[in-house]
Amino acid sequence: AAAQNCRKRKLNAILNLEEVVRNLQTQKEKLKKEHSQCSRSISRVKQKLNNLYCDIFSRLRDDQGRPVDPCQHVIHCRSNGSVFVIPKHLVKAEQGKGKEQKQKVLFF
C-alpha cells in the first residue's frame, strides 16, 4: 500500500509538472507574439520619427538661408521642452567629457 501511494504521488507530481510545462509553453508563445508586435510597433515609430526628422531638416535654414545639413547637425531636446539644432561635433565633444546628459539628442 505504501509503495502504491508513493507511485500515485509520483504520478501526480509528474502530471502537475506536465501541466506547468504546458502553461509555460503557452505563456512563451503569447510573449513571443507580444514581442513581435512590440518590435513592429517600434519599427513604425522609428520610421515616423525618421520621416519627421527629415521633414524638419528639409525646412531648416541657417542664418544665410542655406539648408542645414542633417549629416552635420542634430536635434537637441532639453528636459524643459526646448529644442535646438546643434552641430554634431559639439554634442560628441560634450559627451566625451563624461557629463551625464538628461537631454535627448536625436541622431539619424
Side-chain angles (χ1 to χ4, degrees):
Q4 187 176 5
N5 286 339
C6 183
R7 284 190 294 275
K8 187 175 180 180
R9 282 194 306 272
K10 186 174 183 179
L11 181 60
N12 284 337
I14 290 170
L15 292 174
N16 286 337
L17 288 173
E18 287 174 345
E19 178 71 19
V20 168
V21 167
R22 280 193 300 276
N23 289 340
L24 289 172
Q25 286 172 334
T26 301
Q27 184 179 6
K28 178 183 174 185
E29 288 305 312
K30 180 182 172 187
L31 289 171
K32 283 171 76 173
K33 286 179 185 177
E34 187 177 329
H35 179 269
S36 179
Q37 289 171 344
C38 288
S39 293
R40 285 192 302 272
S41 180
I42 287 170
S43 292
R44 285 191 300 269
V45 170
K46 282 182 178 180
Q47 185 59 50
K48 286 181 179 182
L49 186 56
N50 189 50
N51 292 345
L52 178 61
Y53 190 88
C54 291
D55 186 46
I56 289 169
F57 270 100
S58 73
R59 298 165 191 249
L60 287 176
R61 299 290 179 261
D62 65 13
D63 53 0
Q64 296 172 355
R66 296 176 300 205
V68 175
D69 186 356
C71 294
Q72 296 178 5
H73 294 81
V74 294
I75 298 174
H76 188 81
C77 307
R78 298 185 111 182
S79 55
N80 67 3
S82 59
V83 178
F84 301 93
V85 176
I86 58 175
K88 282 185 179 180
H89 71 273
L90 291 179
V91 175
K92 291 179 181 176
E94 190 69 20
Q95 289 174 344
K97 293 179 184 175
K99 290 186 178 181
E100 184 178 323
Q101 292 192 347
K102 293 185 180 179
Q103 298 91 359
K104 294 179 183 163
V105 181
L106 305 178
F107 290 98
F108 289 88

